[in-house]
Amino acid sequence: MLFRSCQKSLPACLAVALSGLIALAGVPALAQSAADFYRGKTITVYASVASGAYDLYARVLARHMQPRIDGQPAMIVVNMPGAGGVKAANYFANIAPRDGTALLVPLKPVAMTQILRDKGIKYDASKFNWVGSMVDAPGVLTVWHTAPAKTLADAKKNEVVMASSGFGAETFIFPTVINSVLGTKFKVVTGYKGMSGMLLAIERGEAHGVSTVYGSLKGLKPKWLSENKVRFLAQISLKRTADLPDVPSVLEFAKNNDDREILAFLTLGNVIGRSIVASPGIAVDRLAALRAAFDQAVRAPDYLKETVQRGMLVNPTSGAEVQETVNRLIATPAAIVAKVKVALNSARMQKKK
């Protein structure tokens, strides 16, 4: 019939054909499912350190998350240390693929660093798509059993040397800000490479302690805990954790509301802990597939068995909850952030003299 009408009226036929093409152009192509997209692909997980607890958590998760992702893509871990985690975060935000084939295990202070650093930050942690946290990471002010401080009160009277990797790391930020707020006498020595280097410095007697994460010590130095080689002066957490019921939170020492808000600012990164994130702009269904695979993996018997064998703590938090905490941290009042910056800048200037 169409051919006959074309014979009678070619202009009419062309008009009909053109309208048909326009209509087809308005029909979206069938959406590719997450499973179809991931099938045959490789997901690269960028770990923000060269070794240590973050690397361990990244590799164990990748092994157990991979078979649970729709389409079962391959999954590899690539280490990208540098600049206190900023190198990896910048790369992830600006260079890595945004299609769901790149994930990042950032350092816990990634959002805090974004607020506190004036230069070199080329990412926005609130725009990352948080897949989930494997474990929250309450900080602990840890000292060797022979250190000149058994309590935080002792650290107000005696100088306590704390090892740190650099100015941008929580190993520097936490004891420095606590000095400013609570009047402690932590002397932070920078330049150590990674947590393993800092722990070795403590063992050798070069430093008295380090501001670290309880889970890191449990995984890296279990004998230190079983043999009572270290003491915990305080937890950098909103409240005492179940693992350390007798160790006070730094918030218990706050003298006023400003002190409390500054110390609480330090603790918000605990929920971020050992997290994994997807890039900005990832398709909604792919993010959902990654979050589902994460949630299944961190509760699976095979994952839990391996974490127990490796001495890893497990206390997962959903991606949505972590995202909310990151947004809250980034929204910290400017007045509180300014006081933290003053403390850090003052300490840096003194070290440069």
Side-chain angles (χ1 to χ4, degrees):
M1 294 294 293
L2 178 60
F3 179 73
R4 288 181 181 177
S5 66
C6 285
Q7 285 183 317
K8 293 179 179 178
S9 176
L10 184 59
C13 179
L14 291 174
V16 171
L18 183 59
S19 64
L21 289 173
I22 292 172
L24 286 173
V27 177
L30 291 175
Q32 185 183 34
S33 70
D36 289 339
F37 171 78
Y38 277 122
R39 193 169 291 113
K41 297 282 200 312
T42 296
I43 295 176
T44 300
V45 180
Y46 294 96
S48 301
V49 295
S51 60
Y54 285 99
D55 179 71
L56 174 62
Y57 273 89
R59 292 181 186 278
V60 172
L61 178 67
R63 192 156 47 248
H64 293 274
M65 188 171 162
Q66 179 273 329
R68 294 175 168 91
I69 299 173
D70 291 342
Q72 297 189 348
M75 210 165 182
I76 61 172
V77 177
V78 173
N79 300 95
M80 189 177 283
V86 172
K87 179 180 178 180
N90 281 346
Y91 177 87
F92 187 71
N94 298 283
I95 300 174
R98 294 192 170 200
D99 59 359
T101 59
L103 301 175
L104 171 70
V105 174
L107 297 191
K108 184 178 73 169
V110 62
M112 181 185 299
T113 300
Q114 173 184 330
I115 298 172
L116 296 179
R117 278 203 190 181
D118 297 322
K119 297 179 180 179
I121 302 298
K122 299 177 181 179
Y123 66 86
D124 182 348
S126 67
K127 293 183 179 179
F128 290 159
N129 285 291
W130 295 78
V131 176
S133 172
M134 294 161 268
V135 64
D136 55 3
V140 280
L141 293 171
T142 307
V143 296
W144 197 242
H145 62 101
T146 58
K150 294 182 179 180
T151 65
L152 199 66
D154 292 337
K156 294 180 181 181
K157 304 171 186 175
N158 305 317
E159 183 179 85
V160 179
V161 179
M162 303 292 274
S164 171
S165 55
F167 293 146
E170 64 185 73
T171 51
F172 178 85
I173 294 171
F174 288 0
T176 299
V177 174
I178 290 169
N179 279 347
S180 175
V181 175
L182 301 181
T184 47
K185 295 182 178 180
F186 295 118
K187 178 182 179 181
V188 186
V189 177
T190 57
Y192 290 99
K193 291 185 178 180
M195 185 53 60
S196 57
M198 290 178 257
L199 297 181
L200 183 60
I202 295 170
E203 212 163 20
R204 287 175 172 174
E206 295 174 16
H208 295 129
V210 66
S211 177
T212 185
V213 171
Y214 178 70
S216 295
L217 284 178
K218 188 173 181 180
L220 298 173
K221 294 290 184 180
K223 284 190 176 181
W224 283 16
L225 302 181
S226 62
E227 297 175 2
N228 296 316
K229 293 291 186 182
V230 290
R231 304 190 193 106
F232 302 115
L233 304 184
Q235 299 184 58
I236 304 171
S237 57
L238 289 173
K239 59 183 180 180
R240 299 187 187 197
T241 59
D243 289 304
L244 300 169
D246 298 323
V247 180
S249 160
V250 288
L251 268 70
E252 296 176 36
F253 299 94
K255 299 182 292 292
N256 52 54
N257 191 57
D258 272 7
D259 288 355
R260 193 170 292 104
E261 286 198 50
I262 292 170
L263 295 172
F265 170 73
L266 298 182
T267 71
L268 284 176
N270 292 346
V271 177
I272 295 173
R274 309 299 185 222
S275 290
I276 188 164
V277 303
S279 59
I282 185 176
V284 173
D285 64 327
R286 293 173 200 169
L287 176 60
L290 292 171
R291 283 180 168 177
F294 173 87
D295 291 343
Q296 292 168 25
V298 295
R299 290 170 175 81
D302 54 341
Y303 176 81
L304 297 174
K305 180 180 179 181
E306 181 170 356
T307 56
V308 169
Q309 291 171 342
R310 293 178 175 271
M312 298 164 60
L313 298 178
V314 177
N315 183 20
T317 304
S318 72
E321 289 179 83
V322 181
Q323 194 103 41
E324 185 178 337
T325 299
V326 170
N327 294 343
R328 178 185 167 194
L329 195 156
I330 290 175
T332 298
I336 297 300
V337 174
K339 289 182 179 181
V340 173
K341 283 186 174 183
V342 167
L344 294 174
N345 290 336
S346 176
R348 288 167 186 156
M349 292 301 294
Q350 288 179 3
K351 286 185 71 67
K352 291 178 180 179
K353 288 181 180 179

